[in-house]
Amino acid sequence: MATNRQKAVATIQVDNARTRVALWEFARGAETGHHVHGFDYVVVPLGDGELTIVDDNGKETRVPMRAGASYFREAGVSHNVINSGAAPFAFVETEFK
Amino acid sequence: MATNRQKAVATIQVDNARTRVALWEFARGAETGHHVHGFDYVVVPLGDGELTIVDDNGKETRVPMRAGASYFREAGVSHNVINSGAAPFAFVETEFK
C-alpha cells in the first residue's frame, strides 16, 4: 500500500562480512516504506520519539522510543515504519549477516 | 594499571544466542577499566563527546565521538576507555556472538 509520505534516509556506516550498520533519519511523518528484514537486527534509538509500525494486515501500533533503549528483532519481520512523533527522529540499525 | 577513576556503568539490554547489547554510561572522567573484547562489536555513540583510548602500552589516543556515527571493531581489541569529554557520555555496544 503505497503512500505519499516522505521517505526516511538511510546512510550505510559499516558493511562487511559480519554486519551492515545504517543510520536511519526520519523527517516528521516520514516512513521507511514496507520492507521485510532479511537479517536479525538491533535498533538503537538516538533520541526520544514515537514510531508507528504498520504490519502486513495494515494494523498500526504506536511505539514510544527512548534514546539508547535498544531492542533486538529476528529476521522475517515485515512492516512499514513511520515517524509519528512530533519531531525528526533517527536510529541506528545493526544487522547480523 | 589501576586508576582511581569512577567506573562507567553498563546496562545489559539484550543478551541472547546472537548478541549482547549494552548501554554504557560514563560520568565525566569515568572509565571502563582495561578490558579485552571477546567478540566483534559495533559502538553507537548517543551524543557528541570525546573518548580517550589507552592501549596496552599506555599510549593515549583522543577520539571525537559524534551522535549516531557508529563504528565496527574486531574481537581482540585490548584497551581502557575514558570519557575525556566535558560532559557525561553514553554509547550502545552491540556484540556479535
Side-chain angles (χ1 to χ4, degrees), chain A residues 56-78:
Chain A
D56 290 353
N57 302 312
K59 180 172 170 266
E60 297 190 4
T61 306
R62 290 172 173 265
V63 182
M65 292 284 130
R66 204 166 42 75
S70 315
Y71 56 89
F72 172 88
R73 295 288 182 272
E74 292 184 347
V77 169
S78 176

Side-chain angles (χ1 to χ4, degrees), chain A residues 13-14 16 18-19 21 23 39-40 42 44-46 66-72 92 94-97, chain B residues 13-14 16 18-19 21 23 39-40 42 44-46 66-72 92 94-97:
Chain A
Q13 300 184 318
V14 179
N16 60 29
R18 205 73 149 110
T19 185
V21 181
L23 170 65
F39 299 111
D40 292 348
V42 163
V44 180
L46 295 180
R66 204 166 42 75
S70 315
Y71 56 89
F72 172 88
V92 169
T94 298
E95 294 176 291
F96 296 78
K97 291 186 179 178
Chain B
Q13 300 184 317
V14 179
N16 60 30
R18 207 67 151 115
T19 184
V21 181
L23 169 66
F39 301 110
D40 293 346
V42 162
V44 180
L46 294 180
R66 205 167 41 75
S70 315
Y71 56 91
F72 173 88
V92 171
T94 298
E95 293 177 292
F96 297 78
K97 291 186 178 179

Side-chain angles (χ1 to χ4, degrees), chain A residues 45-59:
Chain A
L46 295 180
D48 296 344
E50 179 192 86
L51 296 178
T52 293
I53 310 299
V54 186
D55 72 15
D56 290 353
N57 302 312
K59 180 172 170 266

